[in-house]
Amino acid sequence: MGYLLLAGAIAAEVAATTAMKYSEGFSRLWPSLMTALGYLVSFGLLAQTLKTVSIGTAYAIWAGVGTATIAVIGLLLFGEGLSATKVAGILLIVAGVVVLNLGGAH
């Protein structure tokens, strides 16, 4: 159940960050409200996740998957460029999450 909550926390964080882009510096009401609501839901679900998943593992997955997903959304929705450096960075984030998970929960 912890990892299902974590998936929800990641989805809410990604939605909030995407809405933040559309908020134009918090000058547009609805995207700004979606940003606040998304982060509130994300942190609430992350807090529930920490009841059953170790903090290092949960945070690494939350931050890593969220960052990689936002990079892809930036590419697909906002026309951001994809360089070899950006690809390498995303791969390093994913590799870091995998390595932390292979280390086991202690």
Side-chain angles (χ1 to χ4, degrees):
M1 185 65 162
Y3 287 99
L4 186 59
L5 291 169
L6 183 56
I10 293 166
E13 187 269 334
V14 167
T17 302
T18 304
M20 190 185 307
K21 174 70 172 169
Y22 285 112
S23 78
E24 296 179 15
F26 296 117
S27 65
R28 297 180 62 216
L29 177 63
W30 292 111
S32 298
L33 291 175
M34 290 302 299
T35 299
L37 178 63
Y39 281 121
L40 185 64
V41 169
S42 180
F43 287 132
L45 291 173
L46 183 59
Q48 293 303 310
T49 298
L50 297 179
K51 291 179 178 179
T52 58
V53 179
S54 70
I55 191 169
T57 298
Y59 189 76
I61 294 170
W62 181 79
V65 173
T67 300
T69 303
I70 286 296
V72 171
I73 287 173
L75 174 72
L76 297 176
L77 292 182
F78 304 114
E80 295 179 0
L82 184 65
S83 65
T85 305
K86 188 176 273 190
V87 170
I90 292 169
L91 291 174
L92 286 169
I93 291 167
V94 172
V97 170
V98 169
V99 169
L100 282 170
N101 282 302
L102 290 175
H106 297 296

